[in-house]
Amino acid sequence: MKYYPYPCKRCGACCRHVDLIAEMKTFDRGDGICKHLAADNLCEIYAERPPLCNGEYVYKKFFADKTVEEFHEMISQLCKKIREAEA
Ligand code: SF4
Ligand code: SF4
């Protein structure tokens, strides 16, 4: 299945809760926010970001049994939940 990028809104919500993901704990600057999240909600290390921040990697590694559309819908629901929890 050919992957195409998730239409991220660049709200930064997922990068403000890296404490919720065990594998991302070393990125936590101490308050749950990733130490590489810039003020404009962009990733300072985008080209070298960890695999779990890479949608294509996550899709191919863990969700290859789904269509890209299904995977993106799942991500969309997660994004919504994180933003609602922040509100
Ligand atoms: S929460 Fe979703 S929309 Fe917001 S930055 Fe993360 S992936 Fe993009
Ligand atoms: S490394 Fe970049 S993409 Fe990953 S959580 Fe941190 S700021 Fe977000």
Side-chain angles (χ1 to χ4, degrees), residues 22-72:
E23 293 85 347
M24 293 294 293
K25 289 253 159 91
T26 57
F27 287 76
D28 187 347
R29 67 180 194 184
D31 56 1
I33 299 174
C34 178
K35 58 189 175 188
H36 297 296
L37 182 64
D40 56 5
N41 280 338
L42 295 182
C43 175
E44 289 174 338
I45 58 161
Y46 188 78
E48 291 87 34
R49 67 197 184 286
L52 288 181
C53 301
N54 182 327
E56 183 169 9
Y57 171 86
V58 173
Y59 173 67
K60 289 181 175 169
K61 177 90 177 169
F62 303 108
F63 298 101
D65 58 326
K66 295 183 183 295
T67 65
V68 177
E69 289 78 11
E70 287 170 339
F71 174 65
H72 285 178

Side-chain angles (χ1 to χ4, degrees), residues 8-14 79 83:
C8 174
K9 297 180 196 302
R10 297 180 180 170
C11 68
C14 54
C79 298
R83 284 197 294 268

